Amino acid sequence: MQRVCLALPTMRPCPDTIAELAEEAAYAVANFGVEVHLLILDTTDAGGFAENAGAVAALEPAPGVVVHHLGEARQREFLRRVSERSGAADPELLLDLMLPRAVAYGSCVNRLFLGAAALGCTSAHLRNDDADFQVVDGRKIFPIHHELLSIGRPAGEAVAGVSRSELDPADADKPVMLVSGSFIGELNVDIGEIHELDPAVYRDVVRLWTPPVWSEEERDAMVDISFKGAGSEPFDTDESVLGVPDIWDVYMCNIALDHRAYEVLPLLPATETIGSDYALLHALVHSRLPGVVHNRHIVNYYTPERRTGAGFVSYQLRFVKFLLSMLYLYPVYGGMIDLGRGLLDERNGLKVEPILDLARGSVHWDRAGNVHCLDVLDRSYRKLGGKYAELADVMAGRREQLLDEARQDAERWAVLIEAWAPMVAAARAEGLRTGTEGLDADADGTDGTDAGTDGTDAGTDGTDAGTDGTNGAGTGTDAPVR
């Protein structure tokens, strides 16, 4: 039976979301005959963890659905074993890249990928703890419907499951590596208030993430569509398109990825940086691999902590670091575009070597562009005044640190790319352990056990799986961007 991984990373209480994902998992089993491993990747405080654990315990048993609720200590032990088993010269460095002591969206998803490998899953289906499913006539619109119709299948076979095909006949034998919808609702980056205060400042700030080689007209057009997803039109009738997706039509919080993609290329392990988990999607799109884009969009909303006090400063600094990361990512993305189908091997799988070369080369980029970026942000935030002027003060005090960290994140990504294949192999070999040897205190002092539908975990050998869930819940807590 095909085994798939449905993942919810979180760092806050989200009992309603847990219940909704359990429904989606049961839907997948009933309609597609798969075995679903629901990984709840949790780094809440003690009270929050207990609330989420209560939600897991309250789930009705569903045949074919296995629920894992994992805390940081269990993840760390698994990752330590994997890092050591991989044969790396510095397993402690790999452990830090996978589980840093800070919010790290790409690292969070990378832990999920290793967990999926340890479980023997053929695909990973990523969701969000600050989004809802759309509801039509009392029926929840689950994205996994389109995902399981196509993910991993030869594109020529996937034609039967879509409403429209733009597939090049020459690509019929290539596998569908990604299936994605987008989102409706609020912007997926919490900067709408800037637009309300001063649209001109909003334009100046958002232009900072556009490719510097673009024309003024192209950069302005990108500002107009950035962070808006599918707009506000609700779901009506299923629509899906098979072909080479546009990067603007895929969304990391509403996506399925085939294991032959995520087992090749890890995401950028940048700390305190939103939007650091899109590199793999760029590789798949720019290599011209077929994918499916559908309209079962999730509904994005904002959580309150990111808008006040320390939460506001932390979130906005993550946006600043996102802008700075582009200096090192755009050369990689541009190289991917130039290579195109040259990114694929003879079996139509991603080749990691050219991507590693691009990542290594990007770290030497002149950081003058990032100096300019911080200058523009400083002027813009001070013009807005109030809490934004206070943010500018914080940013000025960390100026050199921010510049250094952006380069270090790029360097660390190259290290992880090189180590990734041995880590994936180690995760498969290691599996996840059950019983008292796998217990941890987690956030709430409980024993950290997983609540499967029958009280057990069904890993590849009866073991428990899950690696993800700490440090900001990469795919979820702050909706990442492209």
Side-chain angles (χ1 to χ4, degrees):
M1 179 181 292
Q2 181 184 2
R3 183 175 298 166
V4 304
C5 174
L6 178 60
L8 172 68
T10 187
M11 61 178 185
R12 63 177 60 87
C14 56
D16 292 341
T17 305
I18 290 171
E20 281 201 329
L21 282 193
E23 290 181 43
E24 186 177 30
Y27 174 92
V29 172
N31 288 274
F32 295 94
V34 296
E35 179 178 289
V36 181
H37 287 256
L38 171 55
L39 301 184
I40 302 167
L41 317 168
D42 194 343
T43 55
T44 53
D45 59 18
F49 190 96
E51 188 172 343
N52 288 339
V56 171
L59 295 175
E60 291 291 331
V65 177
V66 185
V67 183
H68 313 272
H69 185 201
L70 304 170
E72 183 172 342
R74 174 170 280 175
Q75 298 166 48
R76 187 172 298 279
E77 176 57 28
F78 167 71
L79 293 167
R80 184 178 300 280
R81 297 196 307 267
V82 168
S83 298
E84 292 173 352
R85 187 165 189 156
S86 73
D90 190 350
E92 287 298 321
L93 173 59
L94 293 185
L95 182 59
D96 185 56
L97 294 177
M98 294 298 299
L99 193 58
R101 302 286 186 180
V103 174
Y105 303 99
S107 295
C108 183
V109 183
N110 287 337
R111 294 193 297 276
L112 160 67
F113 292 159
L114 287 187
L119 264 177
C121 292
T122 59
S123 55
H125 305 252
L126 309 183
R127 299 294 183 261
N128 195 341
D129 73 349
D130 52 6
D132 293 322
F133 295 121
Q134 295 191 66
V135 180
V136 176
D137 297 330
R139 176 174 61 96
K140 291 177 182 174
I141 307 302
F142 296 126
I144 207 165
H145 175 85
H146 284 297
E147 294 171 350
L148 290 178
L149 281 172
S150 300
I151 194 67
R153 299 180 65 183
E157 295 180 10
V159 169
V162 298
S163 55
R164 187 169 86 252
S165 175
E166 299 176 354
L167 182 69
D168 184 331
D171 293 337
D173 293 334
K174 293 178 180 176
V176 175
M177 293 284 209
L178 73 85
V179 179
S180 184
S182 187
F183 68 94
I184 62 174
E186 299 180 283
L187 301 181
N188 70 332
V189 175
D190 195 352
I191 56 174
E193 184 182 56
I194 298 177
H195 190 273
E196 294 172 3
L197 293 170
D198 192 325
V201 167
Y202 177 87
R203 174 181 173 276
D204 291 343
V205 169
V206 176
R207 277 172 59 94
L208 291 172
W209 94 283
T210 61
V213 297
W214 279 14
S215 69
E216 295 299 304
E217 292 77 13
E218 289 173 322
R219 300 179 76 182
D220 285 341
M222 188 166 167
V223 170
D224 290 339
I225 63 174
S226 292
F227 317 131
K228 296 179 181 178
S232 58
E233 185 174 350
F235 178 88
D236 181 17
T237 302
D238 273 307
E239 297 179 5
S240 54
V241 181
L242 172 66
V244 177
D246 189 312
I247 192 66
W248 289 97
D249 294 331
V250 295
Y251 183 49
M252 200 62 175
C253 301
N254 183 7
I255 198 166
L257 295 164
D258 186 80
H259 73 101
R260 288 166 290 183
Y262 60 75
E263 290 180 355
V264 173
L265 180 66
L267 307 181
L268 185 73
T271 57
E272 304 291 353
T273 307
I274 63 173
S276 57
D277 45 0
Y278 273 78
L280 176 57
L281 304 193
H282 278 270
L284 296 174
V285 168
H286 299 326
S287 65
R288 312 289 296 171
L289 278 169
V292 172
V293 173
H294 62 81
N295 67 335
R296 292 194 171 210
H297 309 310
I298 59 175
V299 183
N300 184 55
Y301 63 85
Y302 294 144
T303 51
E305 71 272 7
R306 70 176 70 172
R307 292 186 166 183
T308 58
F312 169 79
V313 172
S314 294
Y315 181 85
Q316 295 299 325
L317 284 176
R318 292 170 197 166
F319 174 65
V320 170
K321 285 198 65 180
F322 156 69
L323 297 175
L324 298 178
S325 72
M326 291 298 107
L327 178 72
Y328 303 102
L329 286 174
Y330 275 137
V332 177
Y333 297 163
M336 289 176 176
I337 293 171
D338 291 341
L339 287 167
R341 298 183 191 274
L343 288 168
L344 303 179
D345 60 24
E346 64 279 359
R347 294 190 294 179
N348 297 315
L350 283 177
K351 293 191 296 188
V352 72
E353 293 82 5
I355 301 174
L356 178 57
D357 289 342
L358 291 170
R360 285 172 173 162
S362 75
V363 302
H364 303 297
W365 214 252
D366 186 346
R367 73 180 195 178
N370 274 352
V371 172
H372 170 72
C373 177
L374 292 180
D375 289 342
V376 173
L377 288 172
D378 186 84
R379 292 195 302 268
S380 298
Y381 291 155
R382 294 191 190 283
K383 184 176 181 180
L384 294 174
K387 63 182 180 181
Y388 288 94
E390 296 173 5
L391 171 63
D393 290 337
V394 174
M395 192 173 66
R398 302 184 187 179
R399 186 180 179 92
E400 291 303 314
Q401 177 185 346
L402 291 169
L403 292 170
D404 290 342
E405 286 179 355
R407 173 172 287 177
Q408 290 166 5
D409 288 337
E411 293 171 342
R412 287 157 66 91
W413 186 35
V415 170
L416 188 59
I417 293 173
E418 185 173 17
W420 191 243
M423 292 188 73
V424 170
R428 283 205 209 95
E430 187 68 31
L432 274 292
R433 302 175 185 175
T434 56
T436 56
E437 63 184 341
L439 303 183
D440 64 53
D442 283 338
D444 65 342
T446 65
D447 64 5
T449 55
D450 294 333
T453 55
D454 58 355
T456 63
D457 296 325
T460 54
D461 55 355
T463 59
D464 142 76
T467 59
D468 211 327
T470 67
N471 305 330
T475 63
T477 60
D478 298 316
V481 293
R482 297 185 255 319

